[in-house]
């Protein structure tokens, strides 16, 4: 009896071996699949970083060309796209990717890149295995001269009349009091009601100094001025520069965007009295219709006819500071990232803290080593990405609170996608 039971046990042991082998094989397959999925996600994240770096490098070249154009400005048609795309290709290559396409669109750079290291095997050909990514960069603009906030909105034609943005009688009275003259019945301040966007010449959004200058000029001339353009939104300036072939102040660099310039049809009559009424004609040969407030950056505090002192000489207008930044693929807005949106929601804050622990151990002063060389601080920003959310210098040198705020800014722009650890932790 005992010999029979022992035989049964030996038989059962033999039956278990294939089962254990099958289970072990299945576990190995699952582990390998997880490894490949993780590797694909990591590679896709790295190639997105390459796309971001390429787009930003191209935008830096556009910034250089704008600044080199100096006072004359740079129309979209004047941009040399060859060095733009060459810079993009070089930065893609530095990040183990190749540039597949590069296009300059309304001062923005749009690129598509493909990683040069691809995953083979079961995941070959799936999303992430080919590691293809795209990115778009634009220009943020800030100002050194305290010129105030730029207007928003869309584009519009440079035509007279139209719109319902008329100055009120009370506003007219305020201008008359400041100018010390009556505002004529045929004044441009009464006739034009545009909004700087879709219709008409906008005089209501001009700076008070420009309104006073108009009233004084009309009193001197004995008739109302005929205007071609007044205040322009940044969005319209962007469209304007995209369709003209001559000099054009890039969006955010035109005094029209600040309500400090007008284009005048009867410029020959205005030019001789410009200094007397507080205006200057900075480009009498190239842009004779254009007049700016004499005390503004374009005129350098000097009225009358001739080049102003605010920004000529090839160094770019001194009041305009451009910063390349990443924007959504469907378009930029020529605005700097806004860090004034408060604290992130609790779930986002918790996720960012997990990412920081994974990326750097939560150390805000760390410099990446090995594969992470070129990445800095609590969230392991690379320099182009740090700059895209308004950061300057080295992220590891910034206060931890600033790193937190700019990580949140990056999340608002692109979600958790920029961080490899977001894939590793299963956040995305």
């Amino acid at each position: 009896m005992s010999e029979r039971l022992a035989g049964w046990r030996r038989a059962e042991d033999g039956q278990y071996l294939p089962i254990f082998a099958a289970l072990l094989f299945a576990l190995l397959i699952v582990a390998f699949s997880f490894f490949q999925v993780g590797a694909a996600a990591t590679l896709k994240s790295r190639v997105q970083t390459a796309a971001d770096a390429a787009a930003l490098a191209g935008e830096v070249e556009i910034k250089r060309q704008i600044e080199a154009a100096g006072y004359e400005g740079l129309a979209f048609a004047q941009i040399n796209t060859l060095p733009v795309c060459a810079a993009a290709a070089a930065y893609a290559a530095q990040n183990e990717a190749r540039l597949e396409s590069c296009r300059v669109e309304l001062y923005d750079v749009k690129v598509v890149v493909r990683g040069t290291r691809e995953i083979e095997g079961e995941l070959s050909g799936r999303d992430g295995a080919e590691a293809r990514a795209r990115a778009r960069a634009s220009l943020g603009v800030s100002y050194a001269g305290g010129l105030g906030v730029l207007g928003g909105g869309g584009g519009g034609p440079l035509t007279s009349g139209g719109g319902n943005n008329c100055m009120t009688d009370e506003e007219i009275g305020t201008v008359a009091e400041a100018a010390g003259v009556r505002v004529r019945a045929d004044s441009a301040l009464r006739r034009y009601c545009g909004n700087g966007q879709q219709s008409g010449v906008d005089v209501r959004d001009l700076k008070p100094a420009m309104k006073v200058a108009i009233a004084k000029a009309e009193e001197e001339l004995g008739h109302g001025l005929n205007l071609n353009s007044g205040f322009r939104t940044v969005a319209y300036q962007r469209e304007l520069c995209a369709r003209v072939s001559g000099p054009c102040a890039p969006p955010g660099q035109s005094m029209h965007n600040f309500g400090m310039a007008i284009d005048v049809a009867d410029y020959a009559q205005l030019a001789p009295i410009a200094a007397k009424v507080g205006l200057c004609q900075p480009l009498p040969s190239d842009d004779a219709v254009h007049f700016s407030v004499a005390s503004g950056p374009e005129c350098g505090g000097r009225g009358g006819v001739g080049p102003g002192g605010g920004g000529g000489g090839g160094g770019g207008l001194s009041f305009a500071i451009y910063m390349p930044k990443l924007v959504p693929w469907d378009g930029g807005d020529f605005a700097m990232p806004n860090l004034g949106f408060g604290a992130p929601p609790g779930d986002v804050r918790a996720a960012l803290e997990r990412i920081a622990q994974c990326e750097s151990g939560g150390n805000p002063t760390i410099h990446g080593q090995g594969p992470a060389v070129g990445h800095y601080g609590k969230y392991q920003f690379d320099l182009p990405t740090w700059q895209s959310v308004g950061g300057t210098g080295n992220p590891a040198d910034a206060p931890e609170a600033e790193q937190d705020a700019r990580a949140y800014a990056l999340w608002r722009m692109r979600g958790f996608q920029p961080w490899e650890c977001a894939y590793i932790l299963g956040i995305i």
Side-chain angles (χ1 to χ4, degrees):
M1 184 69 177
S2 60
E3 292 179 358
R4 186 181 301 175
L5 289 173
W8 287 346
R9 290 193 187 98
R10 285 193 296 272
E12 288 174 352
D13 290 343
Q15 292 173 356
Y16 285 138
L17 287 175
I19 295 174
F20 285 135
L23 286 173
L24 181 59
F25 182 70
L27 288 172
L28 288 173
I29 291 177
V30 170
F32 181 71
S33 297
F34 273 113
F35 171 79
Q36 283 207 309
V37 169
T42 298
L43 183 57
K44 188 174 182 181
S45 176
R46 288 177 178 173
V47 175
Q48 183 61 59
T49 297
D52 294 345
L56 287 167
E59 200 64 45
V60 168
E61 170 58 24
I62 289 181
K63 173 179 180 286
R64 187 199 65 76
Q65 292 186 32
I66 288 175
E67 292 174 343
Y71 185 82
E72 294 291 331
L74 185 76
F76 171 71
Q78 296 173 308
I79 293 174
N80 185 348
T81 61
L82 290 178
V84 172
C85 292
Y91 270 75
Q94 288 179 26
N95 288 275
E96 298 184 299
R98 64 178 181 273
L99 188 68
E100 287 197 336
S101 70
C102 173
R103 185 171 52 157
V104 179
E105 181 179 297
L106 290 177
Y107 295 94
D108 290 2
V109 177
K110 300 176 76 173
V111 302
V112 177
V113 307
R114 186 182 296 274
T116 54
R117 291 194 305 165
E118 298 187 2
I119 294 176
E120 300 177 353
E122 183 183 351
L123 292 183
S124 179
R126 296 188 186 180
D127 183 38
E130 295 183 350
R132 189 169 179 262
R134 64 184 188 178
R136 180 172 186 158
S138 186
L139 287 176
V141 61
S142 59
Y143 301 91
L147 296 176
V149 179
L150 291 172
L158 292 180
T159 58
S160 300
N164 56 6
N165 189 36
C166 303
M167 291 186 65
T168 66
D169 290 339
E170 182 179 356
E171 291 168 339
I172 293 288
T174 300
V175 173
E177 182 178 354
V181 300
R182 67 185 180 90
V183 176
R184 300 177 55 86
D186 64 348
S187 171
L189 300 175
R190 298 185 188 275
R191 299 193 337 263
Y192 296 106
C193 298
N195 59 11
Q197 301 182 52
Q198 298 299 329
S199 60
V201 174
D202 183 349
V203 297
R204 189 177 190 181
D205 293 309
L206 292 171
K207 286 288 196 293
M210 177 57 79
K211 295 175 184 176
V212 167
I214 290 172
K216 287 182 175 181
E218 291 174 335
E219 180 70 13
E220 289 284 332
L221 295 174
H223 63 78
L225 289 174
N226 296 303
L227 305 183
N228 296 330
S229 182
F231 169 79
R232 298 177 195 154
T233 65
V234 173
Y236 177 68
Q237 187 75 20
R238 180 182 174 94
E239 295 178 10
L240 175 67
C241 288
R243 66 173 188 252
V244 301
S245 57
C248 182
Q253 191 166 293
S254 169
M255 286 293 97
H256 286 281
N257 302 150
F258 297 94
M260 298 178 71
I262 54 175
D263 289 349
V264 184
D266 33 11
Y267 61 90
Q269 298 177 46
L270 179 58
I273 65 166
K276 184 176 181 179
V277 301
L279 296 175
C280 84
Q281 187 186 30
L283 295 171
S285 300
D286 299 330
D287 195 4
V289 301
H290 183 77
F291 291 82
S292 190
V293 175
S295 60
E298 193 169 30
C299 298
R302 190 185 63 79
V305 178
L317 293 179
S318 60
F319 59 88
I321 302 170
Y322 289 102
M323 178 69 74
K325 65 166 191 168
L326 295 171
V327 296
W329 180 257
D330 57 358
D333 59 4
F334 264 77
M336 291 300 290
N338 178 15
L339 296 184
F341 35 65
D347 57 339
V348 175
R349 183 168 58 250
L352 288 174
E353 284 298 326
R354 290 178 62 202
I355 287 171
Q357 286 296 321
C358 173
E359 293 278 351
S360 68
N363 184 350
T365 63
I366 195 170
H367 290 228
Q369 303 294 325
V373 166
H375 295 76
Y376 309 95
K378 182 176 179 179
Y379 298 92
Q380 290 292 278
F381 278 99
D382 60 19
L383 293 182
T385 306
W386 176 250
Q387 293 167 2
S388 77
V389 289
T392 58
N394 189 317
D397 296 331
E400 183 175 3
E402 180 184 350
Q403 295 184 44
D404 291 339
R406 297 200 187 282
Y408 180 37
L410 184 60
W411 174 82
R412 285 171 61 94
M413 291 169 60
R414 295 166 54 198
F416 294 111
Q417 173 273 322
W419 290 283
E420 291 182 21
C421 280
Y423 295 91
I424 295 171
L425 296 171
I427 294 173
I428 53 177

